[in-house]
Amino acid sequence: MVLPPILTGCTSRPCSPHARSRTARRWALAVAVAWCAAPLSTGALADSPTVPAAPVTLPALGDSVGQDLSARAERRLGDRIMRAIRGDPAVIDDPLLLEYVQALWGDLLSAARQRGEIGPDLEDSHAWEPFLVRDKSVNAFALPGGYIGVHLGLMAMTTTTDELASVLAHELSHVTQRHIARMMGQQARNSWMSMASMVLGILAASRNPAAAQALIYGGQAATIQGQLNFSRDMEREADRVGFTVLSEAGFEPGGMARMFEHLQQASRLNDDGSFPYLRTHPLTSERIGEARARMGLDGWTQALRAQPSEHQRAAWHALMSARSQVLMDPRSDALHRLSNLTRAEEARPLAQVRLHYTVALAKQRIGQVSGAAAAMTQARQAALSLPAAQQPLVWRILTLSESEGLLEAQRPAEAAATLMRPAPPSPVTAPQAGRPELLLHARLALAQPDGTSQVDGWRDAANRLQTHVSTHPQDAAAWALLSELWRRLEQPLRAIRADAEATAALGDLPGAIERIQGAHQRFRRPDAADVIELSVMDARLKAWQRQQRDDLRDER
């Protein structure tokens, strides 16, 4: 079993207490990833003479595969894993990147629903939520309950939307085909230690990193045999179902075959541990051949000869791939390297936009504000040569990114002016504002100097966020901004409630409970408005306490 490099904890250098805490959380994620992904792997272990891998026949798709772990039990386990890792710095919430991944994920989900891959039991029980991991390694993984982790390194190395969507479709199919439940059921029959080691490892991570690490190693040793037995059949099934979902979602079916080609070539050229996806999802010549065969000979030939797409999503992927390349490695030497990229004169307009955008983002993060502005200007100029279908989306991304950079540089007035800059006229309708605009507007409102002139801006931002969190109650970033806005608007009880919601959304139930209990101590004589807010907080407090009790009961 090979754990992703991002999740292997501290190096040989001594770790600070904070680093040890962060390492513990990453070990928790490592347990989840290893336990869920390793059964899909053959990797180096399959070649080891000390680990036999006897074939085991998978149950047919129509069989009852969830007898040992129901869909709701799987979701509860997934929720516990996510509560353990949401606060880890490696799990990031970049609104632009997350918006893009969610758009692809939504199309794949719709196709899976139409095909009947997601029945009522899975629809109601699973989260169906992708999340981002800040790491330059090429990896993606499925967790119990429909959570899908995507490394920024994977997004950076893919060249088209279809390639990235093919990986998401593959991971989605692992969930819809109940591969995790099948594996957990097999392990439950063979050894309860596998489940105990994973759950206890996650729970112990926040208390004792050394104990968590020991549990992880113990769990690995006890379950290697059972994990290897399913790998090839599960991978083939995920390939087959994922290919159909990918195609019916409107993506080019050649994306999966091209992704396999890229991964195989990259691993041959650079097998330095940067491709953990190849270890948890081994690429055999048989799988690559099957991916091509599904397209037919003519289809694969056409895919190889395809010209760059002028579709809007081609530009979207190019810029999000560039953004991932910058965000995946925050080291100064990596950022300086990206900030000095130069373009070839014959480069296509989209390649030019991507390069200037990459340089601008890198310069933003090393504090070169003027250089970043110049690179953004070059990106805009290159964008004028793009197909009309791509220009409005590209302009939106460039504007949001430049405004965000100016805000980070503590230039809120310039950031606000940039955000209000009109887009060039276009026959194509501009993309609707979404979560990135919502959060950025709130941050801009908070960045303005305190004063009566800002009260209306704070109130407007607070009202927008309040509407948003009513339909997206797990949005920790929105709750955190809302808490500060209510504080500025001198509504301390609402600020405390929003802070508690943000804390709970990040997985810290004890912290959320403590905040609500503190509010009761502070507001012993509430007015009529506060009584209503306190009643809402009481309901949330009971829900969190019930969840905490369930966690403790499962731990026993």
Side-chain angles (χ1 to χ4, degrees):
M1 180 186 303
V2 180
L3 297 179
I6 184 176
L7 308 172
T8 54
C10 295
T11 64
S12 57
R13 297 188 301 272
C15 294
S16 66
H18 174 71
R20 285 195 297 269
S21 175
R22 182 170 58 196
T23 298
R25 292 194 299 271
R26 291 188 177 185
W27 269 112
L29 180 55
V31 180
V33 174
W35 198 75
C36 297
L40 313 179
S41 69
T42 53
L45 288 175
D47 298 326
S48 172
T50 62
V51 184
V56 172
T57 302
L58 282 174
L61 291 178
D63 289 350
S64 177
V65 298
Q67 293 178 355
D68 298 277
L69 188 74
S70 70
R72 294 194 179 279
E74 182 185 340
R75 169 65 185 275
R76 286 197 301 272
L77 182 56
D79 287 346
R80 295 197 68 190
I81 295 170
M82 291 305 297
R83 282 198 295 275
I85 68 175
R86 282 194 190 277
D88 194 293
V91 178
I92 69 167
D93 176 8
D94 182 82
L96 281 172
L97 286 177
L98 200 56
E99 179 185 56
Y100 174 58
V101 172
Q102 287 172 338
L104 306 189
W105 183 246
D107 287 348
L108 294 169
L109 279 180
S110 296
R113 291 185 180 108
Q114 291 175 2
R115 281 179 45 79
E117 304 292 348
I118 301 177
D121 56 337
L122 290 184
E123 182 71 67
D124 296 337
S125 64
H126 280 39
W128 306 117
E129 178 186 333
F131 62 96
L132 303 175
V133 180
R134 186 200 300 274
D135 191 80
K136 61 183 181 179
S137 60
V138 178
N139 202 15
F141 51 90
L143 295 180
Y147 294 101
I148 306 295
V150 182
H151 281 210
L152 298 193
L154 174 68
M155 297 181 66
M157 73 85 63
T158 51
T159 58
T160 68
T161 295
D162 308 306
E163 292 170 9
L164 178 59
S166 74
V167 176
L168 296 177
H170 180 96
E171 297 303 322
L172 171 62
S173 298
H174 279 313
V175 178
T176 62
Q177 302 310 303
R178 305 302 312 279
H179 288 168
I180 297 173
R182 297 187 198 187
M183 174 200 59
M184 294 172 78
Q186 178 69 15
Q187 288 183 339
R189 287 189 292 271
N190 290 339
S191 172
W192 283 100
M193 189 184 352
S194 59
M195 184 178 297
S197 66
M198 183 188 72
V199 176
L200 291 177
I202 294 168
L203 297 175
S206 62
R207 302 188 295 270
N208 187 335
Q213 190 166 337
L215 285 165
I216 291 160
Y217 282 132
Q220 289 177 354
T223 60
I224 284 175
Q225 175 63 64
Q227 289 170 340
L228 290 175
N229 289 337
F230 288 103
S231 58
R232 288 182 175 85
D233 286 333
M234 283 186 172
E235 286 300 315
R236 290 192 187 96
E237 188 172 45
D239 286 347
R240 175 177 55 80
V241 176
F243 177 86
T244 306
V245 170
L246 180 75
S247 302
E248 295 189 8
F251 297 98
E252 288 295 329
M256 181 171 286
R258 286 198 303 271
M259 187 68 197
F260 284 165
E261 293 284 336
H262 291 329
L263 285 170
Q264 187 181 55
Q265 182 180 17
S267 65
R268 287 173 177 171
L269 296 176
N270 182 21
D271 189 13
D272 62 353
S274 297
F275 297 87
Y277 195 80
L278 296 176
R279 291 161 173 76
T280 57
H281 299 71
L283 290 175
T284 64
S285 58
E286 179 185 1
R287 287 181 64 202
I288 296 173
E290 288 174 350
R292 296 177 182 175
R294 290 187 184 99
M295 300 180 63
L297 180 60
D298 291 340
W300 175 239
T301 302
Q302 292 174 7
L304 291 175
R305 296 174 179 173
Q307 296 297 313
S309 172
E310 294 187 357
H311 192 276
Q312 185 184 74
R313 279 195 171 171
W316 201 359
H317 183 84
L319 294 192
M320 292 303 97
S321 176
R323 189 174 183 87
S324 298
Q325 187 178 14
V326 175
L327 296 185
M328 71 183 185
D329 190 351
R331 296 175 303 172
S332 60
D333 57 339
L335 294 174
H336 277 286
R337 177 178 55 81
L338 294 176
S339 70
N340 291 315
L341 293 177
T342 57
R343 70 178 178 90
E345 293 298 327
E346 67 277 9
R348 294 175 178 270
L350 184 55
Q352 295 180 29
V353 174
R354 186 192 192 283
L355 183 140
H356 294 311
Y357 183 62
T358 303
V359 171
L361 292 181
K363 287 182 179 295
Q364 283 179 355
R365 278 152 183 76
I366 58 178
Q368 296 181 9
V369 181
S370 59
M376 283 293 185
T377 299
Q378 290 177 300
R380 284 196 179 87
Q381 291 174 347
L384 296 176
S385 300
L386 292 173
Q390 297 178 347
Q391 290 187 24
L393 176 67
V394 168
W395 184 270
R396 172 183 177 246
I397 293 171
L398 296 179
T399 299
L400 287 169
S401 300
E402 184 172 9
S403 181
E404 178 189 45
L406 290 168
L407 187 58
E408 293 289 343
Q410 299 183 356
R411 298 187 180 185
E414 296 177 49
T418 297
L419 199 59
M420 297 300 294
R421 181 185 298 154
S426 172
V428 179
T429 304
Q432 291 185 345
R435 181 171 179 263
E437 284 87 351
L438 177 72
L439 299 185
L440 186 56
H441 276 295
R443 292 176 60 196
L444 284 170
L446 289 169
Q448 303 300 326
D450 291 0
T452 55
S453 62
Q454 298 303 323
V455 172
D456 290 341
W458 295 337
R459 186 174 291 109
D460 177 66
N463 290 335
R464 292 186 186 186
L465 285 174
Q466 192 69 58
T467 300
H468 172 76
V469 296
S470 67
T471 55
H472 301 83
Q474 296 301 313
D475 193 335
W479 279 116
L481 290 169
L482 186 58
S483 176
E484 179 58 23
L485 286 165
W486 287 136
R487 188 190 68 79
R488 299 271 187 98
L489 291 167
E490 298 181 354
Q491 297 197 37
L493 194 58
R494 300 184 81 173
I496 293 172
R497 188 267 172 108
D499 183 36
E501 293 282 4
T503 304
L506 289 173
D508 184 6
L509 293 183
I513 292 170
E514 182 181 358
R515 284 160 173 78
I516 301 299
Q517 292 174 335
H520 277 285
Q521 295 295 323
R522 179 177 173 184
F523 295 89
R524 293 181 179 275
R525 296 181 179 179
D527 57 26
D530 287 345
V531 167
I532 297 175
E533 190 67 29
L534 282 170
S535 67
V536 174
M537 294 169 72
D538 280 339
R540 300 298 291 145
L541 176 64
K542 291 176 182 178
W544 293 331
Q545 289 175 329
R546 183 168 57 252
Q547 184 64 71
Q548 197 174 41
R549 287 194 298 270
D550 290 344
D551 287 353
L552 291 173
R553 183 176 63 251
D554 292 341
E555 186 178 354
R556 296 190 185 102

